[in-house]
Amino acid sequence: MDWVFEQGCPIREEDRSGVAAAVAASLAADVTVLVVGDKAGMFGIGTSGEGCDVEDLRLPGVQEELVEAVLATDRPVVLVVSSGRPYAVGRFAADAAAMVQVFLPGEEGGRAVAGLLSGAANFSGRLPVQIPNSPAGQPYTYLHPPLGDRQSWLSNLDPTPAFPFGHGLSYTTFEIDGLAADRELVPTDGRFTVSVRVRNTGAVSGAETVQLYFTDPVAQVTRPVRALLAYAKVPREPGEETTVRFDVHTDRLAFTGLDGHRIVEPGEILLYAGSSSRTTPNELSVQLVGEQRDATVIRHHGVPVALT
């Protein structure tokens, strides 16, 4: 295997003199690995770090022009974004053969990315933030209220991210189904168990991160349309199936009420399971019953997970 390196452009300076050489190298290559992103540093020394603020989420310098020029070759391009913030690179997804997001992975990051791209290791990471379509990047978090979602009657702008919170792919595929709860009625000071099946439907071994979300559709105050309740990373060989069980105490459903105190109140709770905050094909509901409960003191700070 032969490698040809071209810088293309600097990280921050508006120097386009190397773009033509990068395009020529891409045209002559079977595959191009195009790395863009940030330089770590503080107070303006870098492009990402303390004191390194930006006005929008465009890539620094003329990097976007470099990406556009290389993608225009119609050759297979793997776009690797090594950054300290989620840049608005969603518009490149349709033309890139693949996209990889790494968040300033350090001096061994290059070896790690090379191992993943070569197939020596399989991808299993999940996005801890959303990757926006627009440089304006609204909303910045998946924990938005209903009016922060796509509302054609309220705004002509579409805030839907290019890649949602929790998103991630690998060299295999998984199927998540069979979401169930061990009870429909749960005391406001009780607990319940949620189970879901996950199966490796691909041809190679891999790991799926099963994510359990919830929402409280009717509450004293506006609640997020989706909130992460728990997750489990499940490594499996091709064809293997596992049941994931989440032991949920109602403390995990508490919120700050109108009087400024944390409470658990009776009512319907919707549960979703899937592979990201927007890919949740499994849905069910449980009903919290009993009196409203003060939850100022949280006794259960996590959700125990078991695999069988």
Side-chain angles (χ1 to χ4, degrees):
M1 181 182 296
D2 296 324
W3 291 86
V4 175
F5 170 78
E6 294 290 347
Q7 182 179 13
C9 68
I11 293 175
R12 182 165 48 188
E13 291 76 16
E14 295 189 1
D15 180 359
R16 300 170 177 82
S17 60
V19 173
V23 169
S26 182
L27 285 168
D30 294 322
V31 177
T32 297
V33 178
L34 178 56
V35 183
V36 297
D38 280 320
K39 175 185 177 181
M42 299 172 62
F43 306 113
I45 296 175
T47 59
S48 180
E50 185 176 355
C52 296
D53 300 320
V54 293
E55 296 178 344
D56 56 41
L57 294 177
R58 293 180 177 87
L59 288 167
V62 294
Q63 293 184 65
E64 291 199 357
E65 295 180 30
L66 173 66
V67 175
E68 292 169 350
V70 174
L71 289 178
T73 63
D74 287 329
R75 304 292 292 165
V77 177
V78 177
L79 180 62
V80 178
V81 183
S82 177
S83 63
R85 59 173 60 90
Y87 285 110
V89 294
R91 66 188 183 94
F92 303 130
D95 296 320
M99 296 176 64
V100 179
Q101 172 71 56
V102 293
F103 289 101
L104 297 179
E107 60 187 20
E108 288 297 314
R111 291 179 182 270
V113 171
L116 291 166
L117 294 181
S118 67
N122 201 350
F123 292 90
S124 63
R126 296 295 180 266
L127 286 174
V129 294
Q130 298 188 142
I131 302 297
N133 264 313
S134 164
Q138 297 286 346
Y140 295 108
T141 171
Y142 81 104
L143 286 169
H144 55 73
L147 289 183
D149 220 332
R150 175 63 171 146
Q151 304 285 340
S152 59
W153 59 90
L154 186 65
S155 173
N156 63 315
L157 299 179
D158 185 358
T160 304
F163 302 103
F165 174 89
H167 173 78
L169 301 177
S170 75
Y171 294 125
T172 189
T173 56
F174 285 87
E175 183 177 83
I176 300 172
D177 61 14
L179 182 65
D182 66 343
R183 63 188 67 187
E184 295 182 3
L185 303 179
V186 182
T188 53
D189 194 13
R191 62 195 322 140
F192 58 97
T193 299
V194 178
S195 62
V196 64
R197 291 190 303 269
V198 56
R199 181 170 61 257
N200 185 340
T201 56
V204 298
S205 61
E208 175 65 285
T209 299
V210 181
Q211 301 165 42
L212 180 65
Y213 294 86
F214 83 97
T215 188
D216 186 348
V218 180
Q220 293 182 15
V221 297
T222 301
R223 306 286 286 126
V225 295
R226 198 75 47 100
L228 183 65
L229 187 59
Y231 63 91
K233 188 173 184 177
V234 184
R236 283 297 173 264
E237 296 297 321
E240 285 188 343
E241 179 180 297
T242 295
T243 297
V244 184
R245 288 183 169 83
F246 301 96
D247 183 17
V248 182
H249 192 279
T250 54
D251 275 2
R252 305 306 306 144
L253 309 176
F255 64 94
T256 302
L258 289 172
D259 61 359
H261 296 287
R262 290 187 64 81
I263 60 171
V264 177
E265 65 176 1
E268 183 183 30
I269 297 294
L270 299 177
L271 298 163
Y272 310 87
S275 57
S276 79
S277 59
R278 286 186 174 267
T279 309
T280 51
N282 300 270
E283 178 182 340
L284 63 80
S285 68
V286 296
Q287 196 78 18
L288 300 188
V289 295
E291 298 296 323
Q292 176 178 303
R293 174 173 70 85
D294 181 87
T296 302
V297 178
I298 298 295
R299 299 159 298 168
H300 301 270
H301 295 276
V303 175
V305 179
L307 306 181
T308 57

